[in-house]
Amino acid sequence: MDFLVALIPLVPLLATLIIGLGQFSHFLDGSRTEALTSRIACWSVYITTALCFWLLWLDSNNALTQTYTVGTWLKSGTFIVSLSFQTAGPGLILSCLFSLLFIVIFRFSRNYLHSEKGFHRFFMLLSLFVFAMYMILLSGNVIMTFIGWELAGASSFLLIAFAWHRENASKNACMVFIVNRVGDAFFILAAILCHTWLNTLEWPEINTQIRTLGATQINLIAFSFAMAAMVKSVQFPFTWWLNRSMEGPTPSSAVFYGGVMVHSGVFLLILLSPVFDHSSAISLLLITIGMLTFAYSLLSAQTQVDIKSSLGFSTAGQLGLMFVECGFGLWQLAFIHLCAHAVVRCYLYLTAPSILHNVHGNPVIPVTLKHPLLRWLSLASLHNFWLEEASHQIISKPCLQLSRDLAKLDDNFVDPLIGLPTAAVLSGARLAQREEEIIGARLDTDENNFSSGSGFAGHLTAWVAACSGWFEHHFVLQGIEQKLPSAGRRLGFVANSIEQLLLRTRYLIIFIVIVLLFAL
Amino acid sequence: MSDTDSINNSPLETVRQAIDHLNHVLPGQGPILDFIHHNTIHGFQHLPFSQALEDYEKLTGTRGYMTETRFRECFNKGRISEKDLHQAIDSNASLRPGEVLLSSDKSEMKIENRDIYLAALRAPVCAISTAQLRWQLTREKALNEWQTDIPADAKASLSEGNENARTTLPALWQHIQSTLAIARLDQDPDSLSPLPLTDSQTITDIASSNTRTLLAEVGNSLSLGGLVFSLSGQDIRNSVFPVMMRLSASMLDEGIAPWHAGDNHYHSLYQAWRDSLHQDCGLTLEALAWQDIIAQLPDSAEETIIQQLEKLQLPPAKWAGYLQRLCLEVPGWTGLINWRQQNPDYHCLNSLQPHLADWLAIRLILDKLYLDQLCRQLWQCDGNYSALSAHLTRHSLECWVRTAWQQGKLPETLSQQTDKLDQQQNAEESHWLALANSLHSWQQNHDGDAACTAHDQGWKLFRLCQHLGLGKNALPILSKEVLTAMLQTLDEFSPDIRNRVWLLAYEIHYRNDLFKGIAGNFRRGNWVNRNKRPHAQIVMCMDEREESFRRHLEELNPRIETLGAAGFFGIPMKFKGLDDTHLTSLCPIVVTPAHRVDEKARAAQDQQLKSHRKGAVFLQRFTYKLHQSFRLNPLYNWFGTFLLAPFSLVGQLMHSLFPAQYKAIVDSVRRYIVTPVTTELTITTDSPDTEASTENPRLGFTDQEQAEKVGALLRTLGLTANFAPLVAFSGHGSTSQNNPHEAAHDCGACGGRQGGPNARAYAGMANRAEVRSILAAGGIHIPDDSWFLGMQHDTCNDSIIWYDTDLIPADLQDKFQTFRKNIEQAQEYSAHERCRRFYSANDPATTAKAFQHVTLRARDLSQVRPEYGHATNASAIIGRRNISQGLFLDRRSFLISYDPTQDPEGNILENILLTAGPVGAGINLEYYFSTIDNNKFGCGTKIPHNVAGLFGVMEGTGSDLRTGLPEQMIEIHEAMRLLVVVEHKTSVLERIYGDQPALQELVGGGWLLLATKDPDSEAIHMFEPDQGFVAWQDDDLPLPECAKSMDCYNGIHAPISPILITQPEGAQ
C-alpha cells in the first residue's frame, strides 16, 4: 500500500493544474464559478487528508515498508535522482496535521476571498503550495524535497504579491523571494556535497552513511543544511523577512508564516537529526542562532504596534526555541513543539483581525524604561535593531554595485568583443534611420549591401568578408589616422581601472570565496 | 490661506496657521473602535457640492464622482434610464439642450444639443492616440463595420435604404476628413510623416518652461522628495516613511505594545526622538551626516519646523502648502495624529500627546538628511529648494527628458538611452541635448499641432455621427459649420458636466420611483387614522436597516404600530456596563453627556454577582494571556502552546466543519464560566441636589429630568396619545467576528456604540409613576395599563436582547408573549430579506433557515461581510408612519417619526432636521465617497488589512493608515446623495431653511437633497437650491403591488424600487 504516498502530492497538483487551466481558458472566471474553484481545491485537500490518515493507520499497523520508489527520474553516471517517498517518520505525521490545517484554511478562504479579483488565482496558488509542502514532507531524496522547497518559496512570493498592483506588496514579495534564495543556495550546496562525498541523495542513506565521513565534511554538510533551514525558519539574522511578507491575504499569512511553511526549516533539521547528532559544532551553532533569534524576537516584539508584525516576531521566537531544542538533541520535544505551535499559531493568525475586540478594555500594561540601556533597547527594538538597514548596507549595496560593474563590463568589453549590437542601438535604429533618411543617406541601397550570399557557404563568405572589413576599418584605416596609439593608451587606462576595481573589498571577497571553493 | 497672509505673519504664526488649516484637509476619522460616519471631505462642506469636489480633486487628484464607465454600467443595468438622462440634461439650462444644430426638411432629420449630450453619455466619444486610431482602422475594421456600441435606433436610421456599413463608413470618414481638411492618417505615422528638424532654441524654451512648472509645483502638489522622485525615480520617502510610521504607531498605540517611543519623561514625540537621536544606529548605517544637525536642533517642534523650512530655503509663501503636501503624502497617519490633537481628552496609554508639529518636525529633518545625500549623489548639489532649482534651471534639458522618462512618456528606445545616461555620473550635457532633440521630434510626430487631427476631432465626429444615426443620406447636410458646431457642443460638454449630469440622473431615477411610491401610498395603510388602540408599539432607531424589520412586524401583526427615532432615544449618558472598565458616552458625538448610568446587579443577587465576577475576571485573564502574553512573552508562549494545541486544533476544525455545534458548545462554555446575573440601571439619582455637568457627570437623573427627556421624545415622535399596552424601545448594535470595522455597524446616534442601554434606561424612566405624573401635568397621559419595555436588536444576526422582562406586570404577560412571538417571527423574516443580498446565503428556502444563516454568519471568522451596514441608504422620510407603511422600501430609507399635525409651526421639525440632517448626511456621504473611489476615499479591500495599535488598519506591515469604508461594506451601495422627504407644508420648510445656516450649508450646498410631502394631499415638492420648491410631476404609470414583502424581493439580488404592499381588509 506504500504507493498511496505518491498520490498525496499528486492530488493538490492536479487541483492546481485544473484551476490553472480553467483560468487560462476563462472557464473559471468571475464570481459565478467561485463555488466550483473552491470545491475543487477543498476536495483535493479532503482527499489528501484521507490518504494521509490512511497511510498513518497503515504505518501504525506496520503494514508499510517505510520507503516507496516510483522510478528513476534522472540518471547520469553516478548521479541518480529517483522518484522516492518516505512513508514513515515525522514527515507522515506532519502531513496528517498540516492537512487538517489546510482544510481549515481552504474553507476559511472561501468566504474571505469572495468576489476578490484573484479568487481563482488564490486557490490555484494555495493548492500549489499544498503540493510543495507534501513534497517537502514526504519525498525520499534531497532533489525532490528541494523542488518542494522552491515551489513553496515561489508560491509564497506569488501570494505576498497577491495584490500586485500595490507597490508595497510587489516590492516586499521580491525582497522576501531574494532573501530566501540565500537559503536555497545553501540547500543546493548541501545537495552537491552529499552527492560528492556520500554518493547518494536519498534521505535515509544520508542519515545512515554520514558517520563514514570526516568531521569537517560532516560539519560542512550540516552547516549548509542548517543555513537553508535558518533562512526558511526566519532565524537571526534573516528574521526581518517575516515582517515583509505580511502583505498577502490573512489566510495565506496564517498558513505560510504562522501554521505551515516557516516550520519547514525545523522539519529539515529533524529529518536530518542523525547528521546534526554527529556534528557538535553545528549543534552549537543551532543553539547560538536559536538563542539569538529568541532574544531578538523577544525584544523586537515589545514595540511592535501592528498585530501581524507582533505575531511574526512571536513566531520567530518560538522557531528560535525549536532550533535550541534541536541543537540540544531534543528531537522529540522539538517535533512536538513544532506540531503544537503550528496549530496554535494558525489560530492566532486567523483571528488577528479580531484583536481589536479581543483585547478591548484589556490593553497591555505599558512599561516605563528608566535605565539608559533599556531605553536604547527600546529604540533598537522599535527599529527592529536596524537589521534590515544593516543587511542592505552589507549585502544588497555591494551586490548592486557588483551588478553595475558587470553591466559596464558587458557593455564596454564583452558586447563589442562579441560584436552584439547593444540593445539601445538596436531599438533606436528606427529613429536614427529616419534622421538619416532626412539627411539623405541611403543605407539600404544595393551598393551598400556589397557582400551577400545564400546558403551556408554564402553566409560564411559574407561573414568572413564582414570580419576582414571590420578589421581593416578599425585597425588599418584608423591606425593610419593615428588612432592606434590613442587606442593603446586607452587600453592602459582600462587595465589600470580594472586593477583598482579588483582591489575593492567586494572583489577580494569573491576571490577568497572562489579560492576556498576550489581548495575544498 | 492666501499667500499674502503668510508673508505678513511671523514665521511662527505662519507655521501655526498652516497646521491649524490641516484640520480641514486631513481625513477626520478617529480611532476605529469609535467609528463614526462623517462626510469624508468634511473640510470642504462649506462649499457647494460640485465646487467642493472640484477643489478636492485639485488638491489631491481624486475625483469625486464615479467613473463614467461605472455610470454606463448602471445605465446598462437599468439603474439609470434614458428618460432620467433627459430630465437631468434638461434641468441644466446653461447647456441649452434644445438648441437645434442641424435640421433637414427632406428627411425629418433634426439634431439638437441634447442628442449630442445623450450620445456622449451613452458611449465614450473621445480622442484616441494615433496608434489606437491605426489599430481601429486596420484591425478593428472601423471602416467596414458599425461601431459596436451604437444604439438600435441609430443603427436603424443608418441602415435606411439598404445602406450598409461597408459603403457608408468609408464615405463618412472621407467626408469628415475632407470637410475639416484633416491630414490623412490611416498609415503608419512613424514611417511617413516628415520629421521636423528643430532648432535648439525651441527645445530649450520648452525645457525651461517645463522646469518652471515643475518648480512651481513644489509646495503645491510636490514635496522636494517628490520632486527628486519625479526626476530620478529614487524615492527618499521609501526610507523616511518606515521610520515615521514606526514612530507614529508607537506614539498612538492603545494597547498592543508594552514599550513605546519615548517614555514618561516626555510629552512631545519630537523631544523624545531628538534626545534619542544620538543612539539611533539607523542614521549611521545609512551614512547620513546627522551629527552636525543634532546640536543645532531647537527645543520646540514648531521652531524646528521653521529652522528646517529655512534650511530647505523655501520661500515663506510656499511654507503652508509645503507642510500640507507633506501631510497629504500620508493622510492616514497624519489624519489620526490630527484627530488626537483635536481630541486631547482621548484616553491613551503613554504620556506622549500626539501633535502634528512633532510629526512634521521629524519628517522635515529626516527628509533633509536623505535629500542631501541623494542630491549630492545625483547632481552634486545640496538638497534644498534653491540649490535644486538653480541646478534644474541650468540643466533644464536633462530635467525635461527626465520628467518625460519618469512619467513613462518616452518611447522605449529613448527610455533605454535615458536609463543609461541616468546610470552614468556626470553625463555630458550634449548627450542630454541629443536625447531632448529626439524626444521633441518624437512628440512632434505623435501629437502634431494641426488644428484638426484625425485621431482627435476626426475620430470623435466619426463616432458621433454613427451614434446619432447620421449615415450616407446625411452627408450633404453635414457642412463644415455643422460639423464644427457639433464638435464645439461635444467639447463644451466637459467631463465635469457629464459627471454632474450622470449623478443627477442616477438620483432622479431613484427619486421618481420613491415619490411615485409615496404618492401612490397616500391614504393607504393601517395608521391613517390612529383611533384604534394598537396591540403594541415599538420605537426603533431611524436607521434604514430597521425598515425591513418594522415592515415585516407590521405585516405579521397589523395591530402593531412602529415608530422611528434617533437610537439614543434622547437620553445622552455616560454608561458603565456590569463588566466594563471604562465609561462610554452613549449619544451623538456632538453631545457631551452630563449624566452617568451604571449597570448594577439587583439586590439579593450577591451570590450570582460573585460567581459572575469570578468568571468574568477569569475570562478576561485568559484572553489577556492568549492574545497579549502569547505575543510578548515567549516562555509563556512555549508552555501555553503545548497546553492549547489540542483544543485549538479541535476548535478550528469544529468551527470550520460544524459551525452550529461549535457555536452551541462555545456559548454554553461561556455561560458556564460567566454565569448570568440580573441587573438594573441606576437611572434615578440619589442626590438630586448636585449639579449635573459635563465635567462632572452625575450618577442618575432627577425625576424632573427624566420626565423632560421622556416627554421630549414622545412629542418628537408624535406619540402623545393612544398608547398601546406595550410600548417597546429597541436600540441596536452589531456583533461580528474578525471585523475591525465592527463599530461602523453600530448605532451612529450612540456614538458608534450599541444603543440597548439607552432603550432600557428610557423604558425604565417611562415606567416610573413619578415621571408619569409629571408628564400628565404636561399634557401627556400615559395610561396605567401601558408598560414600557427596553430591548436591543442586533442588526448582524437579527437577535434580540430583552431587558427587564420579569418586571412586566402579570396582567400584561399574555400580551407580552404574543408580542414576543411576533418579534421572533419578524426576526426570521428580516433575516430572510437580508439574505437576498448575501452570496453565500444561497437564497434560503425558509425564514428559519435564513435566520440560522445570519446567526452563524455573525459568528463566522472567515466572513468579511457579516452585514452590509448602511449600504444602499438613499433617502430619509420624516413624517407619520402612514406615509411609508404599506410600501416596500428595500431597506433604503431612514424612517423618522414625526407628526406635522401636532407641530404646525415646525419647531419640533426644526430640531429633527438639525440633528437627523447632519447624521444622515454624514452616513450617506461616507458611503458615497467610499463607493466612488474605494482606494482613495475608502480603505480598499479587507483582505490584506492589518490592525495597528487598536486604532486603525493598514495594508501589510508598512502602509499608510487606511481610513474610510472597506470595499466589502460598500459593494452593493448606490452612490447618491441622501434625499430627505419631510411631511409638512413647503412654507414651514422655507421658514426653517431661512432660519438655519446649518441647513443652508447642507441643503443649499447640495450635500443633502430636500423634498416635502404635503400632509393633506399627494403633492410632493422638490427643493432646488436656485429655484426653491418645485412641484414634482407624476408620470401616471401604475405602481406595482405585491401581497407581502417576500413577494417583492424573492429571488431578486439587485436593488428594488418601492412597491405597494396589499393591506389587509378592514385594516382601517
Side-chain angles (χ1 to χ4, degrees), chain B residues 323-396:
Chain B
L323 294 179
Q324 173 168 302
R325 180 50 48 195
L326 289 185
C327 285
L328 280 177
E329 284 177 345
V330 255
W333 287 108
T334 48
L336 188 62
I337 293 174
N338 177 54
W339 189 91
R340 289 282 298 269
Q341 181 177 335
Q342 306 292 331
N343 295 271
D345 297 333
Y346 187 77
H347 71 87
C348 57
L349 214 53
N350 57 18
S351 62
L352 292 179
Q353 272 296 337
H355 275 283
L356 272 180
D358 293 334
W359 188 90
L360 281 167
I362 302 175
R363 168 92 202 263
L364 280 166
I365 296 170
L366 288 176
D367 262 11
K368 180 84 175 77
L369 287 174
Y370 282 97
L371 257 181
D372 277 345
Q373 190 187 41
L374 183 61
C375 290
R376 286 209 186 99
Q377 177 205 325
L378 282 172
W379 302 308
Q380 293 80 41
C381 71
D382 278 344
N384 62 48
Y385 179 70
S386 50
L388 271 172
S389 48
H391 177 89
L392 293 179
T393 316
R394 240 181 298 122
H395 300 87
S396 57

Side-chain angles (χ1 to χ4, degrees), chain B residues 477-492:
Chain B
I477 47 170
L478 286 175
S479 63
K480 186 169 180 183
E481 288 71 37
V482 170
L483 285 181
T484 328
M486 278 166 75
L487 263 179
Q488 199 190 342
T489 308
L490 186 66
D491 290 340
E492 277 169 9

